[in-house]
Amino acid sequence: MKKSIVLIVSSLLGGFALFAQENVRVDTASNPNLRSPEVTAEGKVAFRIHAPQANKVSISGNLLRDQKFGLSEDAETVPSHLDLINNDGIWTITLEGVKPDLYSYNLIIDGEETVDRNNAFVARDVKNVSNVLLVPGEASAFFAPRDVPHGAVQSVWYKSGFNGKERRMTVYLPAGYDESDKRYPVLYLLHGMGGDETAWSELGRAVQILDNMTAEGLIEPMIVVMPNGNIAREAAPGFDSRAFEQPEFHLEHTMDGTFETWFGDIISYVNDRYRTLDGPGEQAIAGLSMGGFHSLYISLSKPETFGYVGLFSAATIPSDSNEIYRNRPDKLKNIFDKTSPLMYIAVGKDDFIYSHTQELRRELDSLGLPYIYNESGGGHEWTNWRQYLIDFLPRLFRK
Amino acid sequence: MKKSIVLIVSSLLGGFALFAQENVRVDTASNPNLRSPEVTAEGKVAFRIHAPQANKVSISGNLLRDQKFGLSEDAETVPSHLDLINNDGIWTITLEGVKPDLYSYNLIIDGEETVDRNNAFVARDVKNVSNVLLVPGEASAFFAPRDVPHGAVQSVWYKSGFNGKERRMTVYLPAGYDESDKRYPVLYLLHGMGGDETAWSELGRAVQILDNMTAEGLIEPMIVVMPNGNIAREAAPGFDSRAFEQPEFHLEHTMDGTFETWFGDIISYVNDRYRTLDGPGEQAIAGLSMGGFHSLYISLSKPETFGYVGLFSAATIPSDSNEIYRNRPDKLKNIFDKTSPLMYIAVGKDDFIYSHTQELRRELDSLGLPYIYNESGGGHEWTNWRQYLIDFLPRLFRK
């Protein structure tokens, strides 16, 4: 059978594309499928692209952050791009000292940003499409899927009381959920402005982190709920009734109390549909950036609900646009009186939100309220948020 | 609050990226965010890209199939690419007569394939990343999400008896599934070689088609199970333990009886976990290309299971590599004796698999066994498979 397939492949299609989907590119001398990116040794990554007519090819993205390629040893600057070298129409660069992590990058050909077409892995971030690259190592050990029992990932729609529309969210159910009648604790995990209900499961690698850490017994099996906190759309681009309208930032209703006010719809949906534990010792809320802001005020406005609150580079900018944001000190005292939550605050030294984090810390200190503080290097970026999640998860549901 | 955000945006970041994810491209004169693609009128689509240093920019993809741009009126040839016109560094083309459908396309800059960076919607097909474009109209009316009750989409893992590994599949549960104790009929929907458990839900638009047709009352609410039929991998690229290994065709075990032999694991998992109806009048199986081949032989090897069999451009190449494929006429008689299935056969006039479809039809005719035959234009392509699904679904579970 295999032989006959190969024969038909060769005879009918001149290669590669039998029974394929559409538009499979054939590998030819003028359009070679090069190996790119290639991790050739520890921290060493080679990129290659065929572009014989180009005058200049560069690479950009956060994988350049530790590169001082062509810069002096003590240079402080992170290069915005690095140039590839042309060898007979094939442009190459090999980066060294690339730390284990998940990166995004683009190639820039004659000044125009594009993707590395040899790398089939891409991710959309707000409106930009970039390639993704995993550099393996200790810091990224949980990011890749492994042969372990896998949780289920669901895209479900709940009805929001805000405008009566259905909104999409992602729900992770731990491995084994369907094999017993056991109930599970719940983490609500919120994205940043510009993100959506797919942010934590895609660039955040939350599914792989949860599967792998659960398999190693490092964390309690838990349900993780990842809603969409951008009220202006019902779902990620391509999934709501705006269909293929190009994604943009939508500031309306992002931080005006709307999401916090209607968050109860999400909790009710989850408790109705899944086998949850719903005491404060079994419910956590955490988020990055705008999602940290949301997490703080949702926990304060429901002071008997959450025993764990995680603020990752949280945009805790003081606000009085909504009652929910006012009288923060009183509300902080109230929640600590009621559930004495484990409050986890993490921020990078270079984060532009750093001063707001310090302001929140001073407020908690002056009130004598305890919290865990994790100050990392780096800024407002997924590199930090993934590590904060890895640091936060083992603390949950084990008080 | 909004005002203070805007202020911080302007002051701290010079625009656009506050609380965003990483790597948001800023719109500048040297890197403008152009509107591309833009459907400007019925069947008219404009593409624009900024590339002042380029010598030539072209567009390729299946959206050219009805274009005779620059060709004579009666030309039979479909152009492989069309050139854009340079106007002060911005290259443009406006196609006319583009029929309603979902298309994939790439831009080719100085001979090198790339994506349209103004279009955030991309899809991977085997190993190629292309942009996608929806041209609205009657034929594509079901492809875009609408404000209707939405089904849930799940990625779940079942254990395969083949090698004891977990394998990933996509399960669609109709809107309202969680609101009652109702049981639902099941369609098993299989992809082609090179596809995976995401093929029907992504390029196939099965989720939107099901949501929209169910909302209009055109089809019975049903559970749809989309497994991964490429035994060499456990899941789509990026989701199994090969992680970010670049995707390739894997011919091993695709059509040697393995998938058919272990298909019972999938049926058992589904009947154990979901509220299914499991009589032959309530179970259907259908697939495209290799998945049509699988559908035929799975139905024949479980002759009391499926009351509906859909063969979409099915790769029904005769084979004796496995007992499952032998004595087809006897097995066809047997299944018609037992469940008298509604057999639906669809193929395009230009499909390279056309002669095999005719061979199957002659076999059924000579045995006096009934079937529905839908011969369309076109070839081995998603344009046909989506329409076959739309034509097939209303016939299910209404005998």
Side-chain angles (χ1 to χ4, degrees):
Chain A
M1 181 63 203
K2 225 188 249 178
K3 203 171 186 185
S4 70
I5 290 183
V6 174
L7 275 176
I8 293 170
V9 170
S10 323
S11 62
L12 286 185
L13 289 176
F16 204 67
L18 179 72
F19 313 145
Q21 324 291 72
E22 300 173 1
N23 290 337
V24 174
R25 190 176 73 233
V26 175
D27 185 16
T28 63
S30 65
N31 193 5
N33 287 325
L34 297 169
R35 200 170 160 84
S36 179
E38 183 181 18
V39 181
T40 55
E42 203 179 301
K44 224 167 157 175
V45 190
F47 299 86
R48 304 179 179 93
I49 193 161
H50 181 256
Q53 294 184 57
N55 295 308
K56 188 175 172 182
V57 178
S58 312
I59 185 166
S60 66
N62 63 356
L63 89 168
L64 302 184
R65 66 171 179 231
D66 298 315
Q67 297 298 318
K68 298 193 172 174
F69 225 86
L71 303 174
S72 71
E73 261 305 299
D74 57 349
E76 288 283 326
T77 326
V78 174
S80 68
H81 64 274
L82 290 175
D83 295 339
L84 280 69
I85 291 161
N86 185 5
N87 188 353
D88 208 17
I90 295 181
W91 297 76
T92 61
I93 190 169
T94 302
L95 303 182
E96 298 187 12
V98 184
K99 294 185 185 135
D101 203 347
L102 186 81
Y103 294 97
S104 352
Y105 70 97
N106 284 91
L107 296 179
I108 303 166
I109 303 184
D110 287 340
E112 306 306 319
E113 190 179 273
T114 180
V115 292
D116 179 352
R117 65 178 173 279
N118 299 298
N119 183 355
F121 296 101
V122 293
R124 183 189 54 75
D125 198 357
V126 190
K127 60 195 296 185
N128 285 19
V129 174
S130 303
N131 291 102
V132 296
L133 157 69
L134 180 75
V135 176
E138 199 182 327
S140 66
F142 294 125
F143 299 172
R146 299 181 195 164
D147 260 338
V148 297
H150 296 286
V153 180
Q154 312 194 338
S155 289
V156 298
W157 297 75
Y158 70 98
K159 189 160 273 186
S160 169
F162 166 58
N163 59 4
K165 288 196 178 186
E166 288 195 339
R167 298 182 59 76
R168 194 168 176 254
M169 63 182 165
T170 305
V171 178
Y172 171 87
L173 300 176
Y177 181 89
D178 277 331
E179 267 95 66
S180 80
D181 289 328
K182 210 187 138 188
R183 292 187 165 270
Y184 292 88
V186 185
L187 164 63
Y188 294 87
L189 188 58
L190 312 184
H191 63 79
M193 195 179 283
D196 54 52
E197 74 278 14
T198 67
W200 270 110
S201 59
E202 294 185 2
L203 283 174
R205 308 303 293 169
V207 173
Q208 290 72 34
I209 290 170
L210 287 158
D211 277 355
N212 294 331
M213 292 188 81
T214 307
E216 288 195 22
L218 297 170
I219 62 175
E220 294 299 310
M222 64 183 85
I223 297 170
V224 181
V225 178
M226 294 161 271
N228 182 318
N230 278 320
I231 296 292
R233 294 194 73 146
E234 283 76 55
F239 292 96
D240 72 3
S241 56
R242 299 195 196 200
F244 290 96
E245 196 179 291
Q246 293 298 323
E248 296 288 350
F249 269 105
H250 293 283
L251 288 178
E252 316 101 79
H253 299 308
T254 44
M255 292 166 81
D256 67 352
T258 307
F259 186 65
E260 296 89 336
T261 300
W262 299 101
F263 197 79
D265 295 336
I266 295 170
I267 299 177
S268 302
Y269 181 96
V270 168
N271 286 331
D272 283 356
R273 302 288 191 297
Y274 301 100
R275 296 193 315 275
T276 56
L277 295 165
D278 60 1
E282 297 129 354
Q283 291 192 112
I285 189 163
L288 72 90
S289 192
M290 176 184 83
F293 176 90
H294 285 155
S295 295
L296 176 62
Y297 292 106
I298 290 166
S299 68
L300 298 187
S301 67
K302 297 181 187 303
E304 301 184 38
T305 306
F306 298 102
Y308 303 85
V309 180
L311 310 179
F312 307 165
S313 309
T316 51
I317 302 162
S319 166
D320 65 355
S321 70
N322 189 293
E323 200 286 315
I324 285 172
Y325 306 136
R326 292 182 201 133
N327 308 316
R328 194 167 73 181
D330 291 345
K331 287 176 178 163
L332 283 166
K333 274 188 287 183
N334 185 38
I335 185 177
F336 274 89
D337 279 350
K338 292 213 161 109
T339 60
S340 186
L342 181 151
M343 188 166 281
Y344 175 92
I345 300 175
V347 72
K349 280 188 185 64
D350 304 330
D351 198 321
F352 65 86
I353 218 75
Y354 184 84
S355 67
H356 294 288
T357 302
Q358 303 317 313
E359 196 179 322
L360 176 64
R361 290 181 65 205
R362 281 191 297 275
E363 194 169 306
L364 288 161
D365 290 341
S366 74
L367 295 166
L369 302 176
Y371 57 89
I372 294 164
Y373 180 58
N374 172 11
E375 184 169 301
S376 69
H380 209 72
E381 53 192 341
W382 275 114
T383 293
N384 278 339
W385 303 327
R386 289 184 290 253
Q387 296 303 332
Y388 300 159
L389 181 67
I390 289 169
D391 188 42
F392 183 59
L393 288 173
R395 304 172 190 271
L396 296 183
F397 316 127
R398 291 182 162 175
K399 271 203 291 200
Chain B
M1 181 62 200
K2 226 188 245 176
K3 203 171 184 184
S4 69
I5 291 181
V6 174
L7 276 175
I8 293 171
V9 170
S10 321
S11 61
L12 286 186
L13 288 176
F16 206 68
L18 179 70
F19 313 145
Q21 324 292 74
E22 299 173 3
N23 289 337
V24 173
R25 190 176 72 233
V26 176
D27 185 15
T28 63
S30 65
N31 194 4
N33 287 325
L34 298 169
R35 199 173 159 82
S36 179
E38 183 181 18
V39 181
T40 55
E42 202 180 302
K44 224 167 154 173
V45 190
F47 299 85
R48 304 178 180 93
I49 192 160
H50 180 257
Q53 295 183 57
N55 295 309
K56 189 176 172 181
V57 178
S58 314
I59 185 167
S60 66
N62 63 356
L63 89 169
L64 302 184
R65 65 171 180 230
D66 299 315
Q67 298 297 318
K68 298 194 171 172
F69 226 86
L71 302 174
S72 70
E73 261 307 297
D74 55 349
E76 289 282 327
T77 327
V78 174
S80 68
H81 65 275
L82 290 174
D83 295 339
L84 278 68
I85 291 161
N86 184 6
N87 187 352
D88 208 18
I90 294 181
W91 298 75
T92 61
I93 190 169
T94 301
L95 303 181
E96 297 188 12
V98 184
K99 294 185 184 135
D101 203 347
L102 186 81
Y103 294 98
S104 351
Y105 70 97
N106 286 90
L107 295 179
I108 303 165
I109 302 183
D110 288 340
E112 305 306 318
E113 191 178 271
T114 179
V115 291
D116 179 351
R117 66 178 172 278
N118 299 297
N119 183 355
F121 296 100
V122 295
R124 182 188 53 75
D125 199 357
V126 189
K127 60 195 296 188
N128 284 19
V129 175
S130 302
N131 291 103
V132 295
L133 158 69
L134 180 74
V135 176
E138 200 183 324
S140 66
F142 295 126
F143 298 172
R146 298 181 194 164
D147 260 338
V148 297
H150 295 286
V153 180
Q154 312 192 338
S155 289
V156 298
W157 297 75
Y158 70 97
K159 190 158 272 187
S160 169
F162 166 59
N163 59 3
K165 288 198 176 183
E166 288 196 338
R167 298 182 59 76
R168 193 168 176 256
M169 63 181 163
T170 305
V171 178
Y172 171 88
L173 300 177
Y177 180 90
D178 277 330
E179 268 93 66
S180 80
D181 289 328
K182 213 187 135 188
R183 293 188 162 269
Y184 292 87
V186 185
L187 164 63
Y188 294 86
L189 188 57
L190 312 184
H191 63 78
M193 193 180 285
D196 54 53
E197 73 278 14
T198 68
W200 270 109
S201 59
E202 294 185 4
L203 283 174
R205 308 302 293 168
V207 173
Q208 290 73 33
I209 291 169
L210 288 158
D211 277 355
N212 294 330
M213 292 188 83
T214 307
E216 289 196 20
L218 297 171
I219 62 174
E220 295 298 311
M222 63 183 86
I223 296 170
V224 181
V225 178
M226 295 161 271
N228 183 319
N230 277 319
I231 297 292
R233 292 195 76 145
E234 282 76 54
F239 293 96
D240 71 4
S241 55
R242 300 195 194 199
F244 289 96
E245 196 181 292
Q246 293 298 323
E248 295 289 349
F249 268 104
H250 293 283
L251 288 177
E252 316 101 80
H253 298 309
T254 45
M255 292 166 81
D256 67 352
T258 307
F259 186 65
E260 296 89 336
T261 299
W262 299 102
F263 197 79
D265 296 335
I266 295 171
I267 299 177
S268 302
Y269 180 97
V270 168
N271 287 331
D272 283 355
R273 302 285 191 300
Y274 302 100
R275 297 195 314 277
T276 57
L277 295 164
D278 60 0
E282 297 129 354
Q283 291 191 113
I285 189 165
L288 72 89
S289 193
M290 177 184 84
F293 175 91
H294 286 156
S295 295
L296 176 63
Y297 291 106
I298 289 166
S299 69
L300 298 187
S301 68
K302 300 182 186 303
E304 300 183 38
T305 306
F306 298 102
Y308 303 84
V309 180
L311 310 179
F312 306 166
S313 309
T316 50
I317 302 162
S319 167
D320 65 356
S321 69
N322 189 292
E323 199 287 316
I324 284 171
Y325 306 135
R326 293 182 201 133
N327 306 316
R328 193 166 76 180
D330 291 344
K331 288 174 177 164
L332 283 166
K333 274 187 288 183
N334 185 37
I335 185 177
F336 275 87
D337 278 351
K338 292 210 160 110
T339 61
S340 187
L342 181 150
M343 188 166 279
Y344 175 92
I345 300 175
V347 72
K349 280 188 183 68
D350 303 330
D351 197 321
F352 64 86
I353 219 74
Y354 185 84
S355 67
H356 294 288
T357 302
Q358 304 317 312
E359 196 179 323
L360 176 64
R361 290 181 65 203
R362 282 191 298 273
E363 193 168 306
L364 288 161
D365 290 341
S366 75
L367 295 166
L369 302 175
Y371 57 89
I372 294 164
Y373 181 59
N374 172 10
E375 184 171 301
S376 69
H380 209 72
E381 53 192 341
W382 275 114
T383 294
N384 278 338
W385 302 327
R386 289 184 288 254
Q387 296 303 332
Y388 300 159
L389 181 67
I390 290 169
D391 188 42
F392 182 60
L393 288 173
R395 304 171 191 272
L396 296 183
F397 316 127
R398 291 182 160 175
K399 270 203 292 201

